[in-house]
Amino acid sequence: MAAMKPRTGDGPLEVTKEGRGIVMRVPLEGGGRLVVEMSATEASELGKELTQVAG
């Protein structure tokens, strides 16, 4: 039986440009990551929305 390791945040928030898309990796509570690929336009719109919410 394989040893079970506790899952941590699996690293920091990461955003990278890969090819023509932008990939965002968000650590989740309880372990793992949410990986989202988006276009530059979508990333810009997301940035504007986050800025409005965060103040």
Side-chain angles (χ1 to χ4, degrees):
M1 186 164 128
M4 296 293 289
K5 292 188 215 173
R7 296 191 103 185
T8 57
D10 288 345
L13 172 70
E14 254 181 79
V15 180
T16 57
K17 184 167 179 150
E18 295 182 12
R20 290 188 286 166
I22 294 171
V23 177
M24 178 175 64
R25 294 174 179 87
V26 181
L28 300 174
E29 279 188 38
R33 296 179 125 201
L34 170 67
V35 179
V36 180
E37 185 172 357
M38 62 191 93
S39 68
T41 302
E42 292 168 329
S44 178
E45 291 173 8
L46 176 61
K48 288 177 190 173
E49 294 295 324
L50 290 172
T51 301
Q52 287 179 357
V53 172

